[in-house]
Amino acid sequence: SRRAIAGLGDDCRHHLDDIGGAPVSGFDKAWLALREPADRTARHDGLVDVLARHLAGMETARVLDIGCGTGSAMRTMLKFPFARVDGIELSDSIAELARSNFRSLRVAPHKLRVFASDATAFNEQLDEYTHIYMYNPFHAPVMKAVAENLRRSLDRKPRALTVIYRNPVCHDELVGSGAFDLKQRLGGEQEHRIHVYHARRPQRQRE
């Protein structure tokens, strides 16, 4: 069912070899066809409201969706006049599917990029972003590494940085970096909960 598929979440992208059928980097094509409408329903209810509260009117905002999948959340964000909306996706073929989606929608290339990259290897590139969006994209060890990369980014370039984290399973790893404070909790059940974090200021240089 669509509900069951939605419940699989983005963690499935990290187990590509375990999914049988006609493969698209390990994904069954029928599963992919159902995933996108399920994503829109399950992942982004309430996201527009959060963006309106925290980002609306910020024409200089540069947003990065970590674990962007086929681009569902990015399409929501593109409804706002942000300077850029970019995404990182681990799977080359899913990243290309996202790019194809945006070409079909005729999104101006200067408005977005989709990187096929391991999030833990995304380092200096983080420095250009003012906002990070995540929907529970990975488990604790990876989140710890990504949070450390964000901390280093803030050390290199102290700035106001907001993290919008849906289904914040790895809250402890994010705040454990010492770089972020939880500012707002939204939603009810864990799957639909959204946490908003702000970078601590002033940032102190660390060894």
Side-chain angles (χ1 to χ4, degrees):
S1 72
R2 287 177 55 175
R3 182 180 181 86
I5 292 169
L8 290 172
D10 287 346
D11 285 341
C12 290
R13 293 201 306 276
H14 303 285
H15 303 282
L16 300 178
D17 293 334
D18 297 332
I19 303 173
V24 178
S25 283
F27 284 115
D28 181 270
K29 291 182 179 179
W31 186 85
L32 275 174
L34 286 170
R35 174 192 170 96
E36 187 63 14
D39 275 356
R40 286 197 299 270
T41 300
R43 292 180 57 176
H44 309 306
D45 181 34
L47 178 57
V48 170
D49 182 58
V50 173
L51 292 171
R53 292 188 201 182
H54 293 276
L55 301 177
M58 299 184 66
E59 289 79 5
T60 59
R62 304 173 75 89
V63 187
L64 179 67
D65 180 355
I66 298 180
C68 67
T70 55
S72 299
M74 293 174 67
R75 288 203 301 280
T76 299
M77 295 175 198
L78 285 166
K79 296 176 181 178
F80 294 81
F82 303 144
R84 290 198 68 85
V85 176
D86 294 341
I88 310 174
E89 168 54 44
L90 179 63
S91 163
D92 288 340
S93 20
I94 299 299
E96 181 52 37
L97 182 57
R99 295 183 195 112
S100 177
N101 286 342
F102 290 120
R103 286 194 295 270
S104 298
L105 293 169
R106 299 183 179 180
V107 178
H110 73 275
K111 293 290 291 184
L112 69 88
R113 291 168 295 183
V114 178
F115 300 96
S117 174
D118 183 337
T120 64
F122 211 76
N123 296 304
E124 285 79 7
Q125 303 100 310
L126 292 169
D127 296 359
E128 67 180 278
Y129 297 102
T130 60
H131 295 77
I132 304 294
Y133 174 77
M134 297 183 287
Y135 176 69
N136 189 25
F138 26 62
H139 298 299
V142 179
M143 175 60 85
K144 185 175 182 179
V146 170
E148 182 65 14
N149 287 345
L150 289 169
R151 181 192 66 77
R152 292 193 182 110
S153 173
L154 287 163
D155 283 345
R156 286 190 300 270
K157 184 180 179 181
R159 64 196 185 279
L161 179 63
T162 298
V163 175
I164 299 171
Y165 184 11
R166 182 157 190 179
N167 192 10
V169 172
C170 298
H171 162 86
D172 290 345
E173 285 69 26
L174 184 59
V175 299
S177 68
F180 296 96
D181 292 318
L182 176 62
K183 292 299 181 183
Q184 192 168 10
R185 295 180 178 90
L186 303 166
E189 297 178 0
Q190 178 70 29
E191 182 181 352
H192 302 291
R193 188 175 303 157
I194 298 174
H195 283 183
V196 179
Y197 304 80
H198 291 175
R200 290 181 177 175
R201 293 185 289 176
Q203 287 296 313
R204 295 176 298 182
Q205 293 296 325
R206 301 173 175 87
E207 296 297 324

